Amino acid sequence: MPRPPRLSPDAVTAALAELPGWSGDADGLRRSVELPSFADAVAAVVRIGFAAEAMDHHPDVDLRWRTLHLTLVSHSAGGVSELDLELARRIDALLPG
């Protein structure tokens, strides 16, 4: 199945307006979130992992004690695609505000 193409910078900027907590540009989306404890952060990584695997689209996840740093980019598209936006939405549903 073909993967979605890279989005234009304007499309990414418009999408970011509807994704509070996320930043970035057409080259990648980023979000950092602090969880109450290390165990909560690890559990969040597991939830994100299952959501990403279901989409066959995998984020870069950096866990630092209880803070997650997430980066989304569609390497096959050379930047942000609709897959990244959808994964960001799904991640938002799994994480606290």
Side-chain angles (χ1 to χ4, degrees), residues 9-72:
D10 289 341
V12 173
T13 298
L16 283 170
E18 298 177 12
L19 290 168
W22 290 89
S23 64
D25 54 32
D27 293 325
L29 305 179
R30 290 169 287 288
R31 179 177 178 195
S32 294
V33 61
E34 186 173 309
L35 286 296
S37 69
F38 179 74
D40 291 322
V42 170
V45 169
V46 171
R47 290 191 306 273
I48 291 167
F50 280 112
E53 187 67 14
M55 292 180 64
D56 190 29
H57 190 60
H58 307 97
D60 293 333
V61 179
D62 179 15
L63 171 58
R64 305 291 172 133
W65 184 35
R66 57 189 186 134
T67 301
L68 299 180
H69 302 283
L70 306 163
T71 303
L72 307 179

